[in-house]
Amino acid sequence: MKQYLYILKGAMQSNFAYRAATLINLSANLLYIIILYYLWQAIYADKEQLNGLTFEHTFLYLVIAATLFNIYRTFTDYHISFDVTSGDIVNYLLKPIDYQLYCMSRSLGRICGNFIMILIPTALLMYFVLGMTLPVDQNWFFSITSFVLAWLIIFMLDYIIGLVSFYTQSIWGIFQTRESLVVVFSGVLIPFAFFPQWLQDILEFSPFVAMYYTPITLLMGQVADTTQALVMIANQLFWLGVFFVICRVFFKKATQVITINGG
């Protein structure tokens, strides 16, 4: 377990080492928030509500979604692809470590760095510049649990995409497809309330809902009762179990067909 903590620490330190990249990411997020503010302000105009949501609720939801998306975005899939194409994957396979736990530690380290470098400045912008605060739910247990489960689901999806590189030289097309599907159908770009009802019904128990919509909804206290919260958490646990099984089986199969360039 100690070696994974070292990996986590190293990944976190790398975030602070590459200050320019982190600053660009933060600046892009802050600029996106400002654009969101004026865009949705124009959409609401003189309207009090749209699809049952006020401007404040919609804007806060989208800000949290965009910020969370940037925090959870650790490019695990691309790192795995690089390990494979560079041949470094052999070193990890020969060492007495679990490669999935190694990747998870690396991802968590970057998330910790992103949390400090992105979340805090964003929160300060929201409070001091836009004068908005978050109406947090009192049930922190459900909120924190949901955020952890959401990260694990997102990580495992990235991990699965990364394992495709064991079979192909490039995962760029798959990466872009997955990125587009997640941004649209997980509610990062548009709240679910603005989706057609038939699409909401389809996505209600999908892995997309479990990634961003569930933790944000619980955080903002937009859940009817404890039963609904438990159903949403159960959906996350279900998809976490499905993705975990896929990860283990896929990795075992992938390592049997891997070809190292120049090897």
Side-chain angles (χ1 to χ4, degrees):
M1 182 59 67
K2 185 179 294 186
Q3 65 266 36
Y4 299 113
L5 293 177
Y6 285 129
I7 295 168
L8 187 155
K9 181 180 178 181
M12 183 176 178
Q13 290 174 338
S14 69
N15 266 41
F16 299 112
Y18 296 101
R19 296 185 182 89
T22 304
L23 182 60
I24 291 173
N25 194 17
L26 171 62
S27 300
N29 190 58
L30 296 180
L31 178 61
Y32 179 71
I33 289 173
I34 294 174
I35 293 173
L36 275 180
Y37 182 82
Y38 289 106
L39 174 63
W40 284 92
Q41 198 174 54
I43 292 174
Y44 271 84
D46 298 327
K47 302 179 183 68
E48 288 291 330
Q49 292 188 351
L50 284 175
N51 292 0
L53 301 179
T54 63
F55 165 75
E56 288 76 13
H57 180 276
T58 300
F59 178 66
L60 279 173
Y61 172 90
L62 291 173
V63 168
I64 298 171
T67 304
L68 192 63
F69 180 79
N70 282 314
I71 291 175
Y72 282 167
R73 200 181 191 195
T74 59
F75 299 101
T76 295
D77 34 20
Y78 266 121
H79 288 297
I80 296 175
S81 178
F82 177 79
D83 288 342
V84 173
T85 55
S86 66
D88 291 343
I89 187 66
V90 173
N91 298 325
Y92 300 119
L93 296 179
L94 294 177
K95 292 178 180 179
I97 63 171
D98 185 300
Y99 186 65
Q100 185 174 347
L101 284 178
Y102 164 77
C103 292
M104 186 181 295
S105 301
R106 187 165 57 181
S107 174
L108 183 57
R110 288 192 169 87
I111 285 177
C112 291
N114 289 341
F115 186 87
I116 297 173
M117 301 295 289
I118 295 177
L119 179 62
I120 295 177
T122 300
L124 293 176
L125 171 72
M126 292 292 294
Y127 183 76
F128 290 106
V129 179
L130 300 179
M132 305 186 79
T133 57
L134 180 67
V136 254
D137 182 28
Q138 297 300 315
N139 199 326
W140 284 99
F141 174 76
F142 284 143
S143 298
I144 295 174
T145 300
S146 184
F147 274 103
V148 172
L149 292 175
W151 164 63
L152 289 172
I153 292 170
I154 294 168
F155 162 77
M156 289 190 184
L157 179 59
D158 289 351
Y159 183 78
I160 292 169
I161 299 299
L163 292 180
V164 175
S165 61
F166 281 66
Y167 295 86
T168 177
Q169 291 295 315
S170 173
I171 61 169
W172 184 85
I174 300 174
F175 170 82
Q176 292 297 330
T177 301
R178 188 266 301 163
E179 193 95 331
S180 301
L181 290 174
V182 169
V183 168
V184 174
F185 293 123
S186 67
V188 171
L189 193 61
I190 303 173
F192 277 114
F194 290 88
F195 285 14
Q197 187 58 51
W198 63 267
L199 185 55
Q200 292 185 44
D201 294 337
I202 293 175
L203 296 174
E204 184 177 3
F205 297 106
S206 71
F208 296 111
V209 169
M211 294 176 185
Y212 294 100
Y213 175 77
T214 294
I216 297 173
T217 301
L218 290 171
L219 177 67
M220 297 183 67
Q222 301 297 314
V223 181
D225 50 35
T226 302
T227 300
Q228 184 183 358
L230 289 173
V231 169
M232 298 172 77
I233 295 290
N235 182 55
Q236 287 184 300
L237 289 171
F238 170 77
W239 285 110
L240 179 61
V242 170
F243 283 165
F244 177 78
V245 172
I246 294 175
C247 285
R248 305 309 283 189
V249 173
F250 195 11
F251 179 77
K252 185 177 181 180
K253 296 290 185 182
T255 52
Q256 296 173 357
V257 300
I258 184 172
T259 299
I260 303 300
N261 293 332

